[in-house]
Amino acid sequence: MLSTFFAVLRRDLLLAWRGRADVLVTLAFFVIVVCLFPFGVGAEPNQLRAIAPGVLWVAALLACLLSLHRLFAQDHVDGTLEQLLLSSEPAVLWVTAKVLAFWLTTGLPVVAVAPVLALLLDLEQGGLPVLVISLLLGTPILALLGAVGAALTLGLRGGGMLLALLVLPLFVPVLIFGAGAVEAELSGTGAAAHLLLLGGGLAGALALAPWGCAAALRVSTE
Amino acid sequence: MSRPDRGPSILRFAAPQNFYPLAGRLAPWFAGLAVVLTLVGLWLGFVVAPTDATQGEVYRVIFIHVPAAWMSMFIYLVMAFWSAVGLVMNTRLSFLMSQALAPTGAMFCVVALWTGALWGKPTWGAYWVWDARLTSQALLLFLYLGFIALTRAIEDPRRADRAGAIIALVGAVNVPVIYFSVKWWNTLHQGASVSLTKAPSMATTMLAGMLVMAIASWAYTLAVVLWRVRPMILERERHTEWVGAELMREALRQGGRA
């Protein structure tokens, strides 16, 4: 059973490596969105410092959202998805592997770049570790919830917009606790509560989302 | 076409051809009930109920606002319930019910937000504040819109039914999470802001008016949903014999009147 998990994981990572331009595009998107904010709200350092956690989180969330369509689309087109669903291996297992591969190739690079961008926005250095931890805990939740939406909108016309409408309301709690953690740390109240809630959310999403995603894939491909 | 005889069980109404005439018979009664109760409720609310000591006349918006907000949340639960029933029991009618409920739920969401804004302007001085309740109501509206958009975007009815049911259930699991996260976000952010909960103890007539209006909107929802589900049933079952017979009968009735 675990061999399936690792086989799918390795395959998806290899595919992502072969098409690494996609990963770079996601990163570039993340950087550009963050860079837009100083143009929009003005380059006043105090103001940028105040909005930095929220801006970084919203940008990470959008980067995740816009790459979600990659999760199943290619496998759906070339028939891999159908073969996986027909196989005797439990769908939850390889769905989890695919989501993990997706997060490793889109979520993790975003998390790695975020501290550098935080310096652009002059976020206080004390907040950087919390920012990284909150993104490490939060972006997998986005990937898991987004996978359900991606599975439901598979192959639909205008699927991208629809996907946004479906999953963005579900992303709100993650955004609240993710950006809230950094702000709580900087304001001196401590980020423990927020991070614990994010961790709890991750555990819950990990337990439930793969089932929902597998069911949604069955619905979308039958 | 004879109806399948399964005894007096209420479950036989799960079959679309049995439910279709029942819905047609029940809908006018609920519509009538809704009209009568709305008139009574509005009379209680706008004529009988006293002017509020602190808010003046503006508070009277609650006779529409509060029932609409209640219904918008309740309808989502009912929608999720029918979605779950549909997925578990594989009954086509359940999916149709949840899809017929969604537009009414979204409508009540809009009414609650709209009347809330009208009440907020004179009371709080702003049409919109990022209060926990307002924000979660707006997110509920997005959940409704997502459900409607998804079921409309899929052409294959079987896939549309099931995909809609899954997103309704995912939303139902997330509604408490969203509600509490928004609530904590708000309190963590800016301390106790304006709240709808600190309403002074209500006069009996105010409460009565609100409850009557709540039952009225419940009856309205039932009437509208039953009416909305009927053509949906016909469309889905258009290849069956009973729909042909039903349409023939309808055509004869129309012809006789003309």
Side-chain angles (χ1 to χ4, degrees):
Chain A
M1 241 167 60
L2 272 183
S3 65
T4 319
F5 182 85
F6 286 113
V8 173
L9 181 64
R10 199 168 54 223
R11 170 184 173 275
D12 275 23
L13 287 177
L14 194 62
L15 281 175
W17 177 249
R18 299 259 162 85
R20 21 186 199 279
D22 283 351
V23 176
L24 290 177
V25 167
T26 308
L27 268 185
F29 173 83
F30 178 57
V31 174
I32 283 189
V33 169
V34 172
C35 290
L36 281 180
F37 278 87
F39 296 116
V41 300
E44 217 276 304
N46 279 328
Q47 194 173 8
L48 287 181
R49 205 173 298 138
I51 61 169
V55 167
L56 288 167
W57 254 97
V58 169
L61 190 149
L62 290 177
C64 176
L65 176 75
L66 287 186
S67 42
L68 270 174
H69 68 95
R70 280 215 314 269
L71 189 48
F72 299 116
Q74 193 57 43
D75 289 349
H76 180 56
V77 170
D78 65 16
T80 313
L81 202 59
E82 223 153 308
Q83 295 304 318
L84 280 169
L85 281 167
L86 285 172
S87 75
S88 57
E89 304 296 334
V92 175
L93 207 64
W94 56 260
V95 163
T96 315
K98 287 187 87 64
V99 176
L100 178 60
F102 171 78
W103 178 75
L104 287 173
T105 53
T106 55
L108 202 55
V110 163
V111 178
V113 173
V116 182
L117 289 176
L119 295 179
L120 282 186
L121 297 176
D122 202 23
L123 185 74
E124 281 172 53
Q125 308 243 333
L128 288 184
V130 176
L131 175 72
V132 172
I133 296 172
S134 73
L135 282 169
L136 275 177
L137 288 171
T139 46
I141 309 181
L142 302 182
L144 284 161
L145 286 175
V148 181
L152 285 173
T153 55
L154 203 57
L156 295 182
R157 271 178 295 107
M161 281 301 185
L162 190 55
L163 179 60
L165 181 59
L166 287 182
V167 298
L168 282 183
L170 308 178
F171 283 0
V172 167
V174 183
L175 177 63
I176 288 174
F177 294 123
V182 184
E183 272 160 30
E185 177 68 21
L186 292 178
S187 70
T189 43
H194 289 82
L195 293 179
L196 286 172
L197 280 165
L198 273 181
L202 177 57
L206 202 54
L208 294 175
W211 296 94
C213 188
L217 282 175
R218 288 227 164 76
V219 165
S220 296
T221 52
E222 72 179 8
Chain B
M1 186 179 161
S2 66
R3 284 176 186 171
D5 185 23
R6 286 190 213 146
S9 164
I10 196 164
L11 282 179
R12 80 197 168 86
F13 288 116
Q17 74 261 39
N18 294 337
F19 187 74
Y20 180 80
L22 178 76
R25 235 172 297 142
L26 287 180
W29 288 99
F30 283 116
L33 188 65
V35 171
V36 172
L37 286 176
T38 306
L39 290 176
V40 173
L42 288 180
W43 173 72
L44 276 174
F46 285 91
V47 180
V48 179
T51 304
D52 189 77
T54 49
Q55 297 184 16
E57 300 293 347
V58 127
Y59 91 94
R60 288 183 201 275
V61 80
I62 65 162
F63 295 112
I64 293 166
H65 176 75
V66 175
W70 281 347
M71 281 315 287
S72 67
M73 289 179 258
F74 179 60
I75 289 176
Y76 199 87
L77 283 183
V78 179
M79 224 174 81
F81 168 77
W82 283 123
S83 296
V85 169
L87 283 178
V88 174
M89 317 273 275
N90 209 2
T91 42
R92 285 160 297 166
L93 187 60
S94 317
F95 295 121
L96 291 182
M97 278 305 275
S98 67
Q99 282 165 42
L101 279 160
T104 308
M107 187 275 288
F108 275 122
C109 257
V110 172
V111 169
L113 288 170
W114 194 281
T115 52
L118 292 181
W119 177 84
K121 186 64 182 165
T123 318
W124 297 336
Y127 285 113
W128 182 268
V129 294
W130 289 92
D131 176 71
R133 281 171 186 239
L134 277 74
T135 316
S136 42
Q137 186 81 41
L139 289 172
L140 185 64
L141 176 62
F142 290 133
L143 290 181
Y144 274 120
L145 293 181
F147 175 86
I148 296 171
L150 182 67
T151 48
R152 296 286 190 280
I154 305 176
E155 272 163 29
D156 173 36
R158 189 175 151 82
R159 182 181 166 190
D161 284 352
R162 284 155 187 280
I166 289 177
I167 201 67
L169 287 178
V170 171
V173 171
N174 269 282
V175 160
V177 178
I178 291 175
Y179 178 73
F180 283 107
S181 62
V182 168
K183 197 169 166 175
W184 290 331
W185 162 68
N186 189 274
T187 44
L188 287 172
H189 243 244
Q190 53 191 47
S193 67
V194 271
S195 160
L196 292 171
T197 43
K198 55 182 179 189
S201 57
M202 240 182 245
T204 331
T205 42
M206 290 186 194
L207 191 63
M210 219 164 76
L211 287 179
V212 170
M213 285 301 285
I215 300 172
S217 40
W218 179 79
Y220 163 82
T221 307
L222 273 171
V224 168
V225 167
L226 290 177
W227 259 316
R228 194 179 288 135
V229 84
R230 270 164 59 92
M232 288 168 83
I233 291 176
L234 289 186
E235 201 186 341
R236 285 292 171 86
E237 306 274 305
R238 63 183 177 274
H239 305 299
T240 59
E241 235 174 277
W242 75 267
V243 170
E246 185 67 41
L247 290 179
M248 194 72 84
R249 221 173 304 144
E250 188 69 21
L252 282 176
R253 211 177 307 149
Q254 299 276 329
R257 215 178 286 160

